[in-house]
Every structure is written in C-alpha cells, then in structure tokens.
Amino acid sequence: MKKVMRWSGEMNVLQTIVTHPLLALVFRLYLGGLFVYAAMYKINFTAEFASTIASYQIVPYFAVNSMAVFLPWMELLCGLMLIVGLRARAATLIIGGLLVLFTVAIVVTLLRDLPISCGCFHTVDDPISWWTVARDLTWVAMAAHVYCFDRLFQLDQLFFQKLKDVEA
Amino acid sequence: MNGNSFRPPSGTGGGENTSSGQELEKKLFHLKTLYEVTRELSGLIEVKPILDTFLPLSMGSLGATTGFLILDMEEETPRCEVAARGVNASLEQALCGSAGQLSDKIFDSMHAVPTAEMFRVFRGKHLSREPLLPPDTQLLIAFPVGTSARGMLGLGPRIDQHPYAEEDQELEIGLVRTLVTVLQNGLAHEEIRKMGQRLAERNAELRTSLEKMEATRQELDQRAFHLQQLYDTSVELSGLIETAPIMDTFLLLVLGAFAVQNGFLLVYDKAKDEPDVVVRGMDATNATTLSNPETRSTVMELFVSLKDRIPHIMESRWITDPELLERIPCPVTAAVLFTIDEECRGVLGLGLQLKDGAFSKDDHELMSLLLSHFMVSLDNARHFEAAQRLNKDLERRNAELEATLKDLTTARGEIDVLQSAKDRILGLVQSEKERAGKAVWLDFLLILVVSVVLGLLFNMASPGGISLVPRALFVTPPDIIALERATSLHKSGQAVFIDARPPEFFEQGHVPGAVNIPLALFDFVYDMKLSQTDPSTPLVVYGRTFSQHYDSEVAHKLELLGHDSVFLLESGLEGWDEKSHAVER
C-alpha cells in the first residue's frame, strides 16, 4: 500500500514536471530559435535550397523554386512567432506540420536510398540517416508539447490580459 | 193613548144671562190670566225662567196642586228643561229622562215633524196610570215648540178636587199657546244668542286665524327676504374667485341686509403672513388696527373664550357677551366668529344699526346662512388660489422636467450608442479571447501570405534570387535523341555523354564514359572538361528527376556556349538502363 502510494506520488510529480508550462516555454524558445537559424541559411542560399528540395525528388519540378523561395520565410516567421509567443499555437502547428513533412521526406528518401544531405541547415556534411528521422520526431514531440502546455510569456497574453480586464 | 186634536175655539157666543155672565166672567178670568201670563212672560227669554214662571201661573189659574212642565229640545245636543211644583225631586229628575220617550209616545211618529197646530191634550184620571207621568197627573197638554222642541204641561189634582173641565182645558191651551209663543221667542233668542255666541267664537277664531295668517305672512316675508338675501349673496359671490372681492362684496351685502352703518370683515389664514381685512364705513386707522398682530391674538382669545361653543369647521357663532365685544379694537355692536377650516378663521364685526332693536333670532339665522355661503365661496377662492400657486409651481417644474427629459433623452441616445459599442467591443473581446486561445485558419493564411510576400520581395531584391518558375519551361527544349542513335553514338564514341545530375547521383550510376557536369557546378566543371571540346561534337545530355530537369538546364547552357549538337537522351538513364546498356556505378 505504501509502495503503491509512493508510486502514485512519484507519478504525480513526474506528470507535473512533464506538463509544466515552463518546460513548454523552453521547448518553444528552442524550436523558435532553431527554425530562425535554419531559415537564415535557406533565405541566403535560395538556389542551393532549391537544389536540396529537388534532390528529395518529392516536389514536382515546377514548384521547387517557389518552395525554395517561400518556405524559408515561413520558417523564419513561425520561428519568430514562437520566440515572442505571438499566435504561438498557429506557429506551432505550422512548424509541427513542416517537421512532419520533413520527417516523411527523409524517411522516403532513406527508403529510396538517395545519397543526399538533409539540407536543413547546410548543403554539405549533413547526410540523412535514421538519426535524422529520430531528431525530427523529437522536434515534432516538442512542438506537440508546446501546443498543449505552453502559456507563459506570450505576447498574446499582454493583449489577452487587457481583454480580460476589459471584459471584467 | 190617543189624544184629541185641539182646535182653537171659534168664539161661539150666546147662552143664558147667568150662564152668559159666568161665561163672561170666565172669559174675563181667562183673559186676565192670559194677560197676566203674557205680562209675566214678556221680557223673559231664557227657557228655564219661562218654564218656572209659567208653571205656577198655569197651576194657579186652575188651582192645581201639582204640576210639571217639560221642554224636550232636540238640538245639536238634546236638552230637557223641567219645571215642577209639588213633585218630589226624584220624579222631577225622572221626568227629564222620560221626556223624549213620552213625547215620542204622544206624537204619532218619531219621524213626523210636529207642527205648531198639533197640540195633544189628555184629560182624566186615567193619566195617572201612565208610568212615565207623575202618578196624580190629570191634565196633560203636549205641544210642539217650533220644529226642534216638544213640551208637555201636566197638572195634578185641583185643590178642590174637581176634575178639569173643558173650559179649563181651553184656558190651559190658551196659556200654553202663549207659552209656546214665548218659548219660541225664548228659543229663538236662545238660538240667536247661541248663534251670536257661535258668531263671536267664529269671529274670535277668525281673528286668531287672521293673526296667525299675519304672523305667517310676516314670517314668509321674512323668509322671502332671507332667501332673497341668500340668492343675492350667492349670485354676487358665485362669480368671484379671489379673496379680496369676495370679502368686500360679502361685507357690503351683510351691511345692507342687516341695515348696519359700518362694519369689518377679518380673515386669518395660516398660509398667509398678513390677515385679509375689509372695512366699510370706518376710517383707515381701524383697518390698520385690525391688521395688527395684537388684534390677531385678541380674536384668537375670543375663539378660545367660547370654549365648547367654539365654531367648528364651516360654522359661525355670535358673540353676545358685551365684555367680549369690548375687547375688539373697533367699536362694534355685534360680532360673529366663523371657522372655515383648521387653518382659516375670521370675525365679522357689525357697527351701528340703522334700525332700532337688537338683532333677532331670525337675524342670527340669516347671518348664519349668509356666512355659510361666504365661507364656501372663500374656501373655494382659497383653493383656487392654492391651485393657481400649485399650477405655477407645476409649470415651472414641468419646464425643468422637460429640460431634464431632453437631457436624459440625449444622454439615453449616447448611452445606447455607447452600450452598443460596448456590446460590440465585448463581443469582439469575447471572440478575440476565444480566438486568442486557439489557432484559427486566419493565422495560417496570414502566415502564408506574409511569407509569400516577404519571399517574393526578398527574391526580387536579392542578387541571389531565383526564378519562381523554371526557365526551361519558357525556352525551346533541345532535340531529343533516340536511344538507339545515342547508343550508336556512344559505341562509336562520336558523342560526349553528359550526366547533368549532382555528383552523388552520378556516383550511384551513370552511362559509361559520361562526363558529370552538375548544373550547380556547370561553369567550373565545363571549363575543366568540355572547354576544349569541338562545338560540333554531339553532346548527349541526360539526368532528370521528378523534381529537376537537370538535362534541359545543362543542355540549354551548352547551347548558349555555342555547341551546335546538343541532344537530350530519350527516356534518360532509366531508359538506358532498361535497355540493359552498361551503367557504371
């Protein structure tokens, strides 16, 4: 009985830690910074990113350049929104969606055994592997955590609080 | 009992000298008796004295020892007079009681009216057997007296005990005739006297009635005068709605109605600071005196002094005590205190009268009625004035209310506007609050649009910008070389096979002897490997994927560099491989 009670107590602590908004904040800031960093390279080297996209052989050729132009800005915007906490949920959903997309692309590429690099951060010295998949999945989990539990230090909250004051 | 009807003697004369001398003496005696009776009876007008006088004369003329004379009168109240001589008192009384019965018996019918000629004479001792008559009656003469009386003369035995003869009967009849005449006169006198009495009584009654009528007339005149005064007062006061005219008019009416030289009317109303004073026939100093506060105290003391007689609401009281009247500052002969309501009281003072005499009870009554009218009119005037004051106040308040209402309406409109704005804002706040907590499609759209815009702008502005659509779509693609021809060229070594894919793909497998010129490194690798090649040398380019047409790009570049024969390998490396041509890995 004592063991069971101690176990349930430990589970409660664990649950508290896992669902803590502070952890979500950490994840949010990390993901935001990650995507801003990733976007900076892609924005500056659009042609190289386009060839990276093309190397995955998933996007049709007429859309490769467009994707190479717009996707990094989306990543940058979402990353910044995550960092400042503005419309964080929407940004988290987009980033999560992108990560899922990237993960699927990497899995497909691995299964195809294409000798390409990830292209996430650099063109070279970043060959894809199942670790890449694991890494992306971890980021997806982080994004999910942020979506579920993040509520601290959001820019929305400033206005949100004022909304509450106005409503009161 | 039958009687013989009597006829007056026809005056038969003659007879023997002796008997005629006796006859003459008898006649003389009779005449003397008649004369005496007539003489005695003349001057008598009362029935009882006539009877009392006649009976002894009649008895004496015949020497009767007893006699009675009854007169039964049927007047308004039946009356019976009896005279009796030699009859005891009880018989005398009984005679009166039986007179009516006896006369009815004697005369034929009770209903027949006996005439003057109908004398009934009864003579003889048999009369004593008549129970209604005294026992010794020997001669009875019944005679009517007019139409309203019947008489009976009854004689008892004579002194000499001789029975009554015919001539005795005649004598008595003559006497009775005289008696009848006298009685008729007497009755007539009595009737006349009674008539005179009745007349006098009627006159007295008339006088009394006249006096009463006069009194009633005077009273009616007075009532008419009062009513006229009331009417005049009502008419005069009805049209007035202000206090001063009402008081002035009333005082004038009162002075006229009661014939008073001067007077005053004083009304104290708690709603006013000053009393209302009206004076007539007095100098101005009196009016000033009456307006003083001391006069108010005096008047209130007068009210208190009345104690339980103090006039209640709509009542008035005369002050009759001279000591109380002296307290009033103006000289008055009478004063009336009146109360209109708990807040309004007053006094009416009447000065010198123009007529003599004090105020009568009728004057008091009239004054009370007039004052009632006055109090009603004054009360109405007070209410009217109060209503006017209230109306003015109401008008002022109405104006204020209208202004306030206008302001309120304006404020209401503003409030409505603000309220609707607040509702909208709250709705927005609510929706925003709801939206803030969740991701909405607008966020995605916004992010997408901003990303696209930023991307486009940066791509356009950046020197490293790329075309959004592959250039190859707009240029004429190079010729495609068939696989067999490409194979033959490959075998003959006439053509140079160029693999345009990235090196990683080249290393995975390529056409034997193919040169890897990746699109990304085209300039660098071309200089290295194909710059010395003859421009006419056929160049077979291959290498396209789903995502990139490397061969078209590289072929286009080669053409731009002056190579004439640039071909695209039909179906690329996959086709080459399917043809089981050798592929280096």
Side-chain angles (χ1 to χ4, degrees), chain B residues 116-146:
Chain B
E117 307 306 315
M118 291 171 67
F119 281 36
R120 297 272 194 266
V121 180
F122 305 92
R123 180 162 54 93
K125 287 190 178 174
H126 63 277
L127 289 176
S128 61
R129 291 199 287 272
E130 177 55 48
L132 296 174
L133 293 170
D136 54 357
T137 303
Q138 291 183 8
L139 178 64
L140 180 70
I141 301 174
F143 53 93
V145 180

PDB file of all heavy atoms in Angstrom, chain B residues 116-146:
ATOM      1  N   ALA B 116    -147.052  73.362  14.536  1.00  0.00           N
ATOM      2  CA  ALA B 116    -147.498  74.204  15.657  1.00  0.00           C
ATOM      3  C   ALA B 116    -148.950  73.945  16.043  1.00  0.00           C
ATOM      4  O   ALA B 116    -149.396  74.243  17.147  1.00  0.00           O
ATOM      5  CB  ALA B 116    -147.316  75.672  15.282  1.00  0.00           C
ATOM      6  N   GLU B 117    -149.752  73.455  15.110  1.00  0.00           N
ATOM      7  CA  GLU B 117    -151.173  73.255  15.400  1.00  0.00           C
ATOM      8  C   GLU B 117    -151.449  71.950  16.107  1.00  0.00           C
ATOM      9  O   GLU B 117    -152.564  71.690  16.519  1.00  0.00           O
ATOM     10  CB  GLU B 117    -151.970  73.267  14.086  1.00  0.00           C
ATOM     11  CG  GLU B 117    -151.706  74.519  13.231  1.00  0.00           C
ATOM     12  CD  GLU B 117    -151.924  75.801  13.995  1.00  0.00           C
ATOM     13  OE1 GLU B 117    -152.934  75.897  14.702  1.00  0.00           O
ATOM     14  OE2 GLU B 117    -151.057  76.705  13.909  1.00  0.00           O
ATOM     15  N   MET B 118    -150.447  71.131  16.218  1.00  0.00           N
ATOM     16  CA  MET B 118    -150.723  69.791  16.729  1.00  0.00           C
ATOM     17  C   MET B 118    -150.514  69.726  18.226  1.00  0.00           C
ATOM     18  O   MET B 118    -149.489  69.302  18.693  1.00  0.00           O
ATOM     19  CB  MET B 118    -149.818  68.777  16.002  1.00  0.00           C
ATOM     20  CG  MET B 118    -150.172  68.605  14.548  1.00  0.00           C
ATOM     21  SD  MET B 118    -148.936  67.609  13.693  1.00  0.00           S
ATOM     22  CE  MET B 118    -149.204  66.046  14.487  1.00  0.00           C
ATOM     23  N   PHE B 119    -151.487  70.276  18.969  1.00  0.00           N
ATOM     24  CA  PHE B 119    -151.448  70.117  20.429  1.00  0.00           C
ATOM     25  C   PHE B 119    -152.110  68.800  20.782  1.00  0.00           C
ATOM     26  O   PHE B 119    -153.138  68.423  20.234  1.00  0.00           O
ATOM     27  CB  PHE B 119    -152.219  71.259  21.089  1.00  0.00           C
ATOM     28  CG  PHE B 119    -151.443  72.549  21.167  1.00  0.00           C
ATOM     29  CD1 PHE B 119    -150.583  72.945  20.178  1.00  0.00           C
ATOM     30  CD2 PHE B 119    -151.631  73.399  22.263  1.00  0.00           C
ATOM     31  CE1 PHE B 119    -149.903  74.121  20.236  1.00  0.00           C
ATOM     32  CE2 PHE B 119    -150.959  74.598  22.328  1.00  0.00           C
ATOM     33  CZ  PHE B 119    -150.107  74.990  21.322  1.00  0.00           C
ATOM     34  N   ARG B 120    -151.623  68.151  21.687  1.00  0.00           N
ATOM     35  CA  ARG B 120    -152.228  66.927  22.218  1.00  0.00           C
ATOM     36  C   ARG B 120    -152.684  67.199  23.643  1.00  0.00           C
ATOM     37  O   ARG B 120    -151.891  67.621  24.461  1.00  0.00           O
ATOM     38  CB  ARG B 120    -151.192  65.785  22.225  1.00  0.00           C
ATOM     39  CG  ARG B 120    -150.697  65.390  20.879  1.00  0.00           C
ATOM     40  CD  ARG B 120    -151.612  64.344  20.297  1.00  0.00           C
ATOM     41  NE  ARG B 120    -150.973  63.695  19.128  1.00  0.00           N
ATOM     42  CZ  ARG B 120    -151.155  64.073  17.886  1.00  0.00           C
ATOM     43  NH1 ARG B 120    -151.930  65.081  17.599  1.00  0.00           N
ATOM     44  NH2 ARG B 120    -150.544  63.425  16.895  1.00  0.00           N
ATOM     45  N   VAL B 121    -153.958  66.977  23.868  1.00  0.00           N
ATOM     46  CA  VAL B 121    -154.490  67.242  25.221  1.00  0.00           C
ATOM     47  C   VAL B 121    -155.010  65.930  25.757  1.00  0.00           C
ATOM     48  O   VAL B 121    -155.784  65.236  25.088  1.00  0.00           O
ATOM     49  CB  VAL B 121    -155.607  68.297  25.178  1.00  0.00           C
ATOM     50  CG1 VAL B 121    -156.130  68.559  26.578  1.00  0.00           C
ATOM     51  CG2 VAL B 121    -155.098  69.580  24.526  1.00  0.00           C
ATOM     52  N   PHE B 122    -154.661  65.659  26.910  1.00  0.00           N
ATOM     53  CA  PHE B 122    -155.151  64.450  27.608  1.00  0.00           C
ATOM     54  C   PHE B 122    -155.686  64.894  28.970  1.00  0.00           C
ATOM     55  O   PHE B 122    -155.027  65.598  29.700  1.00  0.00           O
ATOM     56  CB  PHE B 122    -154.024  63.428  27.787  1.00  0.00           C
ATOM     57  CG  PHE B 122    -153.345  63.063  26.509  1.00  0.00           C
ATOM     58  CD1 PHE B 122    -152.212  63.762  26.094  1.00  0.00           C
ATOM     59  CD2 PHE B 122    -153.863  62.077  25.698  1.00  0.00           C
ATOM     60  CE1 PHE B 122    -151.629  63.437  24.900  1.00  0.00           C
ATOM     61  CE2 PHE B 122    -153.263  61.745  24.506  1.00  0.00           C
ATOM     62  CZ  PHE B 122    -152.118  62.435  24.094  1.00  0.00           C
ATOM     63  N   ARG B 123    -156.871  64.449  29.190  1.00  0.00           N
ATOM     64  CA  ARG B 123    -157.536  64.883  30.460  1.00  0.00           C
ATOM     65  C   ARG B 123    -158.200  63.673  31.062  1.00  0.00           C
ATOM     66  O   ARG B 123    -158.878  62.917  30.381  1.00  0.00           O
ATOM     67  CB  ARG B 123    -158.512  65.998  30.110  1.00  0.00           C
ATOM     68  CG  ARG B 123    -159.287  66.569  31.251  1.00  0.00           C
ATOM     69  CD  ARG B 123    -159.865  67.928  30.851  1.00  0.00           C
ATOM     70  NE  ARG B 123    -160.638  67.800  29.635  1.00  0.00           N
ATOM     71  CZ  ARG B 123    -161.961  67.583  29.543  1.00  0.00           C
ATOM     72  NH1 ARG B 123    -162.644  67.491  30.631  1.00  0.00           N
ATOM     73  NH2 ARG B 123    -162.590  67.476  28.379  1.00  0.00           N
ATOM     74  N   GLY B 124    -158.049  63.520  32.321  1.00  0.00           N
ATOM     75  CA  GLY B 124    -158.743  62.431  33.017  1.00  0.00           C
ATOM     76  C   GLY B 124    -157.828  61.768  34.012  1.00  0.00           C
ATOM     77  O   GLY B 124    -156.617  61.980  34.024  1.00  0.00           O
ATOM     78  N   LYS B 125    -158.433  60.974  34.807  1.00  0.00           N
ATOM     79  CA  LYS B 125    -157.691  60.334  35.892  1.00  0.00           C
ATOM     80  C   LYS B 125    -156.915  59.152  35.363  1.00  0.00           C
ATOM     81  O   LYS B 125    -156.069  58.603  36.043  1.00  0.00           O
ATOM     82  CB  LYS B 125    -158.651  59.875  36.997  1.00  0.00           C
ATOM     83  CG  LYS B 125    -159.211  61.038  37.815  1.00  0.00           C
ATOM     84  CD  LYS B 125    -159.971  60.537  39.045  1.00  0.00           C
ATOM     85  CE  LYS B 125    -160.464  61.751  39.854  1.00  0.00           C
ATOM     86  NZ  LYS B 125    -161.322  61.339  40.972  1.00  0.00           N
ATOM     87  N   HIS B 126    -157.268  58.800  34.125  1.00  0.00           N
ATOM     88  CA  HIS B 126    -156.562  57.647  33.551  1.00  0.00           C
ATOM     89  C   HIS B 126    -155.096  57.968  33.304  1.00  0.00           C
ATOM     90  O   HIS B 126    -154.277  57.086  33.113  1.00  0.00           O
ATOM     91  CB  HIS B 126    -157.239  57.220  32.238  1.00  0.00           C
ATOM     92  CG  HIS B 126    -157.176  58.284  31.188  1.00  0.00           C
ATOM     93  ND1 HIS B 126    -158.091  59.349  31.141  1.00  0.00           N
ATOM     94  CD2 HIS B 126    -156.348  58.464  30.150  1.00  0.00           C
ATOM     95  CE1 HIS B 126    -157.820  60.098  30.120  1.00  0.00           C
ATOM     96  NE2 HIS B 126    -156.747  59.603  29.457  1.00  0.00           N
ATOM     97  N   LEU B 127    -154.814  59.244  33.318  1.00  0.00           N
ATOM     98  CA  LEU B 127    -153.418  59.643  33.109  1.00  0.00           C
ATOM     99  C   LEU B 127    -152.517  59.163  34.247  1.00  0.00           C
ATOM    100  O   LEU B 127    -151.307  59.020  34.037  1.00  0.00           O
ATOM    101  CB  LEU B 127    -153.305  61.171  32.992  1.00  0.00           C
ATOM    102  CG  LEU B 127    -153.881  61.773  31.707  1.00  0.00           C
ATOM    103  CD1 LEU B 127    -153.799  63.296  31.759  1.00  0.00           C
ATOM    104  CD2 LEU B 127    -153.133  61.295  30.482  1.00  0.00           C
ATOM    105  N   SER B 128    -153.088  58.938  35.357  1.00  0.00           N
ATOM    106  CA  SER B 128    -152.245  58.510  36.482  1.00  0.00           C
ATOM    107  C   SER B 128    -151.697  57.113  36.258  1.00  0.00           C
ATOM    108  O   SER B 128    -150.736  56.702  36.898  1.00  0.00           O
ATOM    109  CB  SER B 128    -153.041  58.587  37.792  1.00  0.00           C
ATOM    110  OG  SER B 128    -154.163  57.708  37.717  1.00  0.00           O
ATOM    111  N   ARG B 129    -152.319  56.400  35.277  1.00  0.00           N
ATOM    112  CA  ARG B 129    -151.834  55.041  35.036  1.00  0.00           C
ATOM    113  C   ARG B 129    -150.617  55.044  34.124  1.00  0.00           C
ATOM    114  O   ARG B 129    -149.958  54.050  33.951  1.00  0.00           O
ATOM    115  CB  ARG B 129    -152.942  54.206  34.405  1.00  0.00           C
ATOM    116  CG  ARG B 129    -154.108  53.915  35.372  1.00  0.00           C
ATOM    117  CD  ARG B 129    -154.914  52.731  34.851  1.00  0.00           C
ATOM    118  NE  ARG B 129    -155.690  53.119  33.701  1.00  0.00           N
ATOM    119  CZ  ARG B 129    -156.908  53.640  33.749  1.00  0.00           C
ATOM    120  NH1 ARG B 129    -157.483  53.873  34.897  1.00  0.00           N
ATOM    121  NH2 ARG B 129    -157.586  53.940  32.646  1.00  0.00           N
ATOM    122  N   GLU B 130    -150.371  56.207  33.522  1.00  0.00           N
ATOM    123  CA  GLU B 130    -149.195  56.291  32.643  1.00  0.00           C
ATOM    124  C   GLU B 130    -147.945  56.280  33.497  1.00  0.00           C
ATOM    125  O   GLU B 130    -147.723  57.172  34.324  1.00  0.00           O
ATOM    126  CB  GLU B 130    -149.278  57.571  31.800  1.00  0.00           C
ATOM    127  CG  GLU B 130    -148.088  57.810  30.898  1.00  0.00           C
ATOM    128  CD  GLU B 130    -147.777  56.666  29.953  1.00  0.00           C
ATOM    129  OE1 GLU B 130    -148.681  56.145  29.290  1.00  0.00           O
ATOM    130  OE2 GLU B 130    -146.565  56.278  29.883  1.00  0.00           O
ATOM    131  N   PRO B 131    -147.118  55.245  33.282  1.00  0.00           N
ATOM    132  CA  PRO B 131    -145.944  55.137  34.142  1.00  0.00           C
ATOM    133  C   PRO B 131    -144.927  56.258  33.955  1.00  0.00           C
ATOM    134  O   PRO B 131    -144.168  56.571  34.861  1.00  0.00           O
ATOM    135  CB  PRO B 131    -145.331  53.792  33.756  1.00  0.00           C
ATOM    136  CG  PRO B 131    -145.840  53.499  32.398  1.00  0.00           C
ATOM    137  CD  PRO B 131    -147.162  54.170  32.264  1.00  0.00           C
ATOM    138  N   LEU B 132    -144.928  56.859  32.759  1.00  0.00           N
ATOM    139  CA  LEU B 132    -143.944  57.895  32.521  1.00  0.00           C
ATOM    140  C   LEU B 132    -144.358  59.211  33.153  1.00  0.00           C
ATOM    141  O   LEU B 132    -143.554  60.138  33.235  1.00  0.00           O
ATOM    142  CB  LEU B 132    -143.752  58.097  30.994  1.00  0.00           C
ATOM    143  CG  LEU B 132    -143.177  56.873  30.256  1.00  0.00           C
ATOM    144  CD1 LEU B 132    -143.173  57.127  28.743  1.00  0.00           C
ATOM    145  CD2 LEU B 132    -141.776  56.563  30.737  1.00  0.00           C
ATOM    146  N   LEU B 133    -145.624  59.311  33.540  1.00  0.00           N
ATOM    147  CA  LEU B 133    -146.086  60.556  34.114  1.00  0.00           C
ATOM    148  C   LEU B 133    -146.100  60.432  35.642  1.00  0.00           C
ATOM    149  O   LEU B 133    -146.186  59.311  36.162  1.00  0.00           O
ATOM    150  CB  LEU B 133    -147.497  60.875  33.608  1.00  0.00           C
ATOM    151  CG  LEU B 133    -147.616  61.188  32.107  1.00  0.00           C
ATOM    152  CD1 LEU B 133    -149.065  61.253  31.696  1.00  0.00           C
ATOM    153  CD2 LEU B 133    -146.934  62.527  31.798  1.00  0.00           C
ATOM    154  N   PRO B 134    -146.052  61.568  36.307  1.00  0.00           N
ATOM    155  CA  PRO B 134    -146.252  61.518  37.778  1.00  0.00           C
ATOM    156  C   PRO B 134    -147.622  60.894  38.049  1.00  0.00           C
ATOM    157  O   PRO B 134    -148.575  61.072  37.254  1.00  0.00           O
ATOM    158  CB  PRO B 134    -146.217  62.983  38.198  1.00  0.00           C
ATOM    159  CG  PRO B 134    -145.378  63.634  37.154  1.00  0.00           C
ATOM    160  CD  PRO B 134    -145.670  62.942  35.905  1.00  0.00           C
ATOM    161  N   PRO B 135    -147.784  60.196  39.117  1.00  0.00           N
ATOM    162  CA  PRO B 135    -148.961  59.375  39.359  1.00  0.00           C
ATOM    163  C   PRO B 135    -150.286  60.156  39.431  1.00  0.00           C
ATOM    164  O   PRO B 135    -151.340  59.660  39.095  1.00  0.00           O
ATOM    165  CB  PRO B 135    -148.661  58.663  40.680  1.00  0.00           C
ATOM    166  CG  PRO B 135    -147.459  59.276  41.261  1.00  0.00           C
ATOM    167  CD  PRO B 135    -146.778  60.037  40.204  1.00  0.00           C
ATOM    168  N   ASP B 136    -150.284  61.388  39.835  1.00  0.00           N
ATOM    169  CA  ASP B 136    -151.552  62.093  40.007  1.00  0.00           C
ATOM    170  C   ASP B 136    -151.824  63.081  38.897  1.00  0.00           C
ATOM    171  O   ASP B 136    -152.592  64.041  39.057  1.00  0.00           O
ATOM    172  CB  ASP B 136    -151.562  62.808  41.382  1.00  0.00           C
ATOM    173  CG  ASP B 136    -150.324  63.693  41.517  1.00  0.00           C
ATOM    174  OD1 ASP B 136    -149.456  63.689  40.577  1.00  0.00           O
ATOM    175  OD2 ASP B 136    -150.165  64.385  42.545  1.00  0.00           O
ATOM    176  N   THR B 137    -151.250  62.855  37.773  1.00  0.00           N
ATOM    177  CA  THR B 137    -151.464  63.772  36.656  1.00  0.00           C
ATOM    178  C   THR B 137    -152.862  63.580  36.110  1.00  0.00           C
ATOM    179  O   THR B 137    -153.297  62.447  35.843  1.00  0.00           O
ATOM    180  CB  THR B 137    -150.446  63.487  35.558  1.00  0.00           C
ATOM    181  OG1 THR B 137    -149.134  63.596  36.087  1.00  0.00           O
ATOM    182  CG2 THR B 137    -150.593  64.452  34.406  1.00  0.00           C
ATOM    183  N   GLN B 138    -153.562  64.753  35.933  1.00  0.00           N
ATOM    184  CA  GLN B 138    -154.921  64.656  35.441  1.00  0.00           C
ATOM    185  C   GLN B 138    -155.100  65.428  34.146  1.00  0.00           C
ATOM    186  O   GLN B 138    -156.103  65.252  33.446  1.00  0.00           O
ATOM    187  CB  GLN B 138    -155.906  65.151  36.524  1.00  0.00           C
ATOM    188  CG  GLN B 138    -155.992  64.211  37.723  1.00  0.00           C
ATOM    189  CD  GLN B 138    -157.039  64.697  38.730  1.00  0.00           C
ATOM    190  OE1 GLN B 138    -157.818  65.647  38.508  1.00  0.00           O
ATOM    191  NE2 GLN B 138    -157.107  63.998  39.877  1.00  0.00           N
ATOM    192  N   LEU B 139    -154.226  66.292  33.904  1.00  0.00           N
ATOM    193  CA  LEU B 139    -154.347  67.029  32.648  1.00  0.00           C
ATOM    194  C   LEU B 139    -152.959  67.086  32.028  1.00  0.00           C
ATOM    195  O   LEU B 139    -151.993  67.489  32.672  1.00  0.00           O
ATOM    196  CB  LEU B 139    -154.868  68.460  32.914  1.00  0.00           C
ATOM    197  CG  LEU B 139    -154.994  69.350  31.647  1.00  0.00           C
ATOM    198  CD1 LEU B 139    -156.033  68.774  30.682  1.00  0.00           C
ATOM    199  CD2 LEU B 139    -155.412  70.762  32.063  1.00  0.00           C
ATOM    200  N   LEU B 140    -152.896  66.688  30.802  1.00  0.00           N
ATOM    201  CA  LEU B 140    -151.611  66.706  30.097  1.00  0.00           C
ATOM    202  C   LEU B 140    -151.835  67.367  28.761  1.00  0.00           C
ATOM    203  O   LEU B 140    -152.695  66.959  27.984  1.00  0.00           O
ATOM    204  CB  LEU B 140    -151.061  65.283  29.911  1.00  0.00           C
ATOM    205  CG  LEU B 140    -149.717  65.178  29.182  1.00  0.00           C
ATOM    206  CD1 LEU B 140    -148.585  65.715  30.036  1.00  0.00           C
ATOM    207  CD2 LEU B 140    -149.421  63.712  28.818  1.00  0.00           C
ATOM    208  N   ILE B 141    -150.991  68.380  28.540  1.00  0.00           N
ATOM    209  CA  ILE B 141    -151.054  69.060  27.237  1.00  0.00           C
ATOM    210  C   ILE B 141    -149.670  68.956  26.633  1.00  0.00           C
ATOM    211  O   ILE B 141    -148.692  69.445  27.195  1.00  0.00           O
ATOM    212  CB  ILE B 141    -151.474  70.530  27.388  1.00  0.00           C
ATOM    213  CG1 ILE B 141    -152.849  70.613  28.057  1.00  0.00           C
ATOM    214  CG2 ILE B 141    -151.501  71.207  26.035  1.00  0.00           C
ATOM    215  CD1 ILE B 141    -153.293  72.035  28.387  1.00  0.00           C
ATOM    216  N   ALA B 142    -149.602  68.280  25.514  1.00  0.00           N
ATOM    217  CA  ALA B 142    -148.329  68.170  24.791  1.00  0.00           C
ATOM    218  C   ALA B 142    -148.348  69.110  23.609  1.00  0.00           C
ATOM    219  O   ALA B 142    -149.335  69.169  22.878  1.00  0.00           O
ATOM    220  CB  ALA B 142    -148.126  66.740  24.330  1.00  0.00           C
ATOM    221  N   PHE B 143    -147.260  69.832  23.429  1.00  0.00           N
ATOM    222  CA  PHE B 143    -147.280  70.876  22.419  1.00  0.00           C
ATOM    223  C   PHE B 143    -145.901  70.963  21.775  1.00  0.00           C
ATOM    224  O   PHE B 143    -144.892  70.823  22.440  1.00  0.00           O
ATOM    225  CB  PHE B 143    -147.666  72.228  23.036  1.00  0.00           C
ATOM    226  CG  PHE B 143    -146.827  72.587  24.211  1.00  0.00           C
ATOM    227  CD1 PHE B 143    -145.675  73.354  24.083  1.00  0.00           C
ATOM    228  CD2 PHE B 143    -147.196  72.156  25.519  1.00  0.00           C
ATOM    229  CE1 PHE B 143    -144.910  73.682  25.190  1.00  0.00           C
ATOM    230  CE2 PHE B 143    -146.433  72.501  26.596  1.00  0.00           C
ATOM    231  CZ  PHE B 143    -145.287  73.263  26.469  1.00  0.00           C
ATOM    232  N   PRO B 144    -145.911  71.159  20.519  1.00  0.00           N
ATOM    233  CA  PRO B 144    -144.612  71.378  19.863  1.00  0.00           C
ATOM    234  C   PRO B 144    -144.222  72.850  19.964  1.00  0.00           C
ATOM    235  O   PRO B 144    -145.078  73.718  19.985  1.00  0.00           O
ATOM    236  CB  PRO B 144    -144.871  70.983  18.418  1.00  0.00           C
ATOM    237  CG  PRO B 144    -146.308  71.263  18.223  1.00  0.00           C
ATOM    238  CD  PRO B 144    -147.017  71.114  19.533  1.00  0.00           C
ATOM    239  N   VAL B 145    -142.970  73.035  20.084  1.00  0.00           N
ATOM    240  CA  VAL B 145    -142.449  74.409  20.075  1.00  0.00           C
ATOM    241  C   VAL B 145    -141.520  74.501  18.857  1.00  0.00           C
ATOM    242  O   VAL B 145    -140.379  73.998  18.853  1.00  0.00           O
ATOM    243  CB  VAL B 145    -141.666  74.725  21.358  1.00  0.00           C
ATOM    244  CG1 VAL B 145    -141.132  76.149  21.313  1.00  0.00           C
ATOM    245  CG2 VAL B 145    -142.569  74.521  22.580  1.00  0.00           C
ATOM    246  N   GLY B 146    -142.056  75.081  17.843  1.00  0.00           N
ATOM    247  CA  GLY B 146    -141.251  75.108  16.606  1.00  0.00           C
ATOM    248  C   GLY B 146    -141.068  73.711  16.067  1.00  0.00           C
ATOM    249  O   GLY B 146    -141.923  72.834  16.245  1.00  0.00           O
TER     250      GLY B 146
END
